[in-house]
DNA sequence: AACGAACCCAACCGCTTCCGA
DNA sequence: GTCGGAAGCGGTTGGGTTCGT
């Protein structure tokens, strides 16, 4: 069953905008505003364009104070930091932190330049390290064979270094893993989280008792803001391809306790694996974690010693843009077991929005 | 100079979310 | 509570431009 078209496709012009069309649209909106109805707007002006097309043209090109091209190093850092923190599906949020930039612009910039720039850096670092880490990937690949599920597509050998399910703890990778854990940990702390070993009552998976030797025994504590949890889980899952499969949460006074125990096997881990996240994971891994990539000062952190614009990118701002309902509409949830799900359904735990 | 490859980015597509009736 | 229309958004495409051979 198809979706009804938003306009009469046959009578709508497509393709690049002419200067005359631009002028018409700009003049009308500057004089009258959009009127809250993009669909009706082209007819009012006499443009043979789809309303969505008019909206896009205005927002991405004609709107005042739009800047194109010439991204500064500072902007690069902001984009990278936010990309790592909140992922690729939040271009509008990233754009909101960069005045004069549109989500489309940032998206294009990331896909065409920034990604390559970072991966270029990665290659250099990788080459420098190849001597010392030569056996690591091979070992991982070899050992991942032990975890392959019969009948499953052979995906494991192509997984990023960071993927825990295919990386049982060995003397070779232990050091690298711990280092990355520290990086993620530092970010979560900066975002306002606390870890189980900061909390006397917590219990975590011990690496010595965990038969699978997965190295993510995180219990994360966040004050009040559930979105922080979700975003942090995104960090964890994006950085290390982990889904918060077995999670519990509880509420004590103003502190929410989320326990994220990674007990799944390779089957569980395949869920949610994203190609570039995997790519990025490897990049992060080869750059001493997030901090190695951008430097500690450029992390998304209000207390950092980095640039002022990074400092202004507070999580409160981002969260309020992204999920204002959740930030303001907090409802405590009791300690409960959560069934295995591939994605965290906030409405199930935080009540209706 | 000619050609193909790579790059860039404006615009489109279609899915999701929002909001009013 | 539901439905439908509109807005918002991210992913993708396609055409123009630049670069390399």
């Amino acid at each position: 069953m198809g979706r009804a078209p938003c306009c009469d496709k046959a009578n709508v012009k497509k393709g690049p905008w002419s200067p005359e069309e631009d002028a018409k649209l700009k003049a009308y909106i500057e004089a009258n505003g959009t009127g809250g109805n993009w669909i009706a707007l082209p007819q009012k002006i006499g443009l043979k364009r789809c309303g969505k097309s008019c909206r896009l043209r205005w927002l991405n090109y004609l709107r005042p104070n739009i800047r194109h091209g010439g991204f500064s190093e500072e902007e690069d850092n902001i984009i990278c930091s936010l990309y790592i923190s909140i992922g690729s599906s939040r271009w509008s949020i990233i754009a909101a932190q960069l005045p004069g930039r549109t989500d489309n612009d940032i998206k294009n910039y990331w896909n065409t330049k920034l990604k390559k720039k970072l991966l270029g850096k990665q290659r250099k670092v990788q080459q420098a390290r190849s001597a010392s880490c030569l056996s690591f990937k091979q070992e991982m690949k070899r050992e991942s064979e032990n975890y392959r599920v019969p009948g499953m597509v052979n995906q494991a050998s192509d997984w990023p270094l960071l993927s825990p399910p295919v990386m049982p703890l060995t003397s070779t990778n232990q050091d690298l893993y711990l280092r990355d854990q520290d990086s993620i940990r530092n970010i979560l702390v900066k975002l306002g989280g606390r870890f189980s070993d900061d909390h006397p009552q917590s219990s975590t998976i011990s690496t010595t008792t965990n038969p699978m030797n997965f190295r993510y025994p995180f219990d994360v504590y966040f004050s009040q803001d559930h979105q922080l949890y979700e975003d942090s889980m995104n960090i964890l899952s994006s950085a290390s391809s982990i889904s918060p499969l077995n999670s519990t949460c509880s509420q004590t006074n103003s502190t929410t306790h989320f326990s994220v125990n990674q007990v799944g096997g390779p089957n569980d881990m395949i869920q949610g694996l994203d190609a570039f996240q995997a790519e990025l994971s490897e990049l992060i891994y080869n750059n001493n974690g997030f901090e190695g990539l951008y430097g500690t000062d450029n992390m998304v952190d209000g207390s950092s010693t980095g640039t002022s614009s990074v400092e202004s990118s507070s999580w409160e701002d981002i969260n309020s843009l992204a999920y204002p309902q959740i930030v303001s509409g907090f409802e405590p949830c009791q300690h409960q077991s959560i069934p295995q799900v591939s994605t965290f359904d906030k409405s199930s735990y935080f009540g209706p929005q």
Side-chain angles (χ1 to χ4, degrees), chain A residues 55-75:
Chain A
R55 176 186 159 270
L56 215 57
R57 185 65 179 170
W58 171 255
L59 291 177
N60 289 340
Y61 198 82
L62 299 175
R63 194 161 45 114
N65 305 321
I66 290 285
R67 287 187 293 151
H68 292 285
F71 280 79
S72 67
E73 195 76 20
E74 191 179 322
E75 286 174 313

Side-chain angles (χ1 to χ4, degrees), chain A residues 56-324:
Chain A
L56 215 57
R57 185 65 179 170
W58 171 255
L59 291 177
N60 289 340
Y61 198 82
L62 299 175
R63 194 161 45 114
N65 305 321
I66 290 285
R67 287 187 293 151
H68 292 285
F71 280 79
S72 67
E73 195 76 20
E74 191 179 322
E75 286 174 313
D76 285 1
N77 289 334
I78 294 171
I79 295 168
C80 291
S81 299
L82 289 176
Y83 184 94
I84 288 168
S85 301
I86 62 183
S88 68
S89 299
R90 304 284 174 86
W91 295 117
S92 59
I93 298 171
I94 296 174
Q97 305 306 307
L98 299 170
R101 302 294 188 186
T102 68
D103 54 352
N104 206 34
D105 231 9
I106 292 170
K107 184 172 61 182
N108 282 334
Y109 181 59
W110 172 265
N111 285 329
T112 59
K113 292 179 184 172
L114 214 43
K115 194 162 79 175
K116 289 169 192 167
K117 187 174 162 184
L118 291 174
L119 290 172
K121 276 187 187 175
Q122 178 215 2
R123 278 188 207 99
K124 285 181 186 173
V125 174
Q126 203 165 13
Q127 282 166 6
R129 281 209 193 136
S130 58
S132 59
C133 295
L134 180 65
S135 60
F136 178 45
K137 250 188 171 173
Q138 293 167 344
E139 185 177 343
M140 190 188 96
K141 190 174 178 177
R142 191 176 63 246
E143 296 199 39
S144 72
E145 299 285 325
N146 302 330
Y147 285 92
R148 193 165 305 148
V149 175
M152 199 171 74
V153 174
N154 183 9
Q155 199 174 359
S157 60
D158 294 322
W159 282 6
L161 297 178
L162 210 56
S163 300
V166 296
M167 190 154 69
L169 193 65
T170 67
S171 57
T172 312
N173 64 26
Q174 181 173 11
D175 182 56
L176 289 166
Y177 236 147
L178 289 171
R179 191 175 58 208
D180 186 72
Q181 245 184 286
D182 284 340
S183 293
I184 296 174
R185 183 191 179 97
N186 286 343
I187 286 170
L188 292 173
V189 167
K190 286 175 181 183
L191 292 173
R194 287 194 290 129
F195 283 85
S196 57
D197 54 3
D198 300 325
H199 194 286
Q201 294 173 342
S202 71
S203 61
T204 64
I205 297 175
S206 159
T207 55
T208 55
T209 58
N210 171 11
M212 300 295 282
N213 277 337
F214 295 137
R215 302 306 308 272
Y216 284 85
F218 294 141
D219 273 11
V220 189
Y221 298 87
F222 289 116
S223 298
Q224 296 172 341
D225 189 349
H226 283 95
Q227 183 57 35
L228 219 48
Y229 165 75
E230 191 175 352
D231 284 325
S232 302
M233 290 307 100
N234 286 338
I235 293 172
L236 286 174
S237 57
S238 67
S240 48
S241 302
I242 289 179
S243 302
L245 299 174
N246 278 9
S247 312
T248 57
C249 66
S250 62
Q251 174 82 15
T252 54
N253 296 330
S254 63
T255 301
T256 307
H257 172 205
F258 294 96
S259 183
V260 184
N261 293 335
Q262 185 56 55
V263 296
N267 254 346
D268 298 329
M269 291 305 187
I270 288 172
Q271 299 175 37
L273 185 69
D274 172 80
F276 183 71
Q277 285 177 343
E279 209 177 349
L280 192 60
S281 296
E282 187 165 333
L283 169 61
I284 291 161
Y285 210 91
N286 285 290
N287 284 280
N288 284 318
F290 297 117
E291 293 169 12
L293 240 183
Y294 304 112
T296 325
D297 292 345
N298 286 333
M299 304 303 294
V300 182
D301 172 20
S303 63
S304 77
T305 55
T307 58
S308 60
S309 63
V310 172
E311 287 168 4
S312 71
S313 306
S314 72
W315 269 102
E316 287 75 14
D317 292 341
I318 297 165
N319 286 331
S320 66
L321 281 164
Y323 296 107

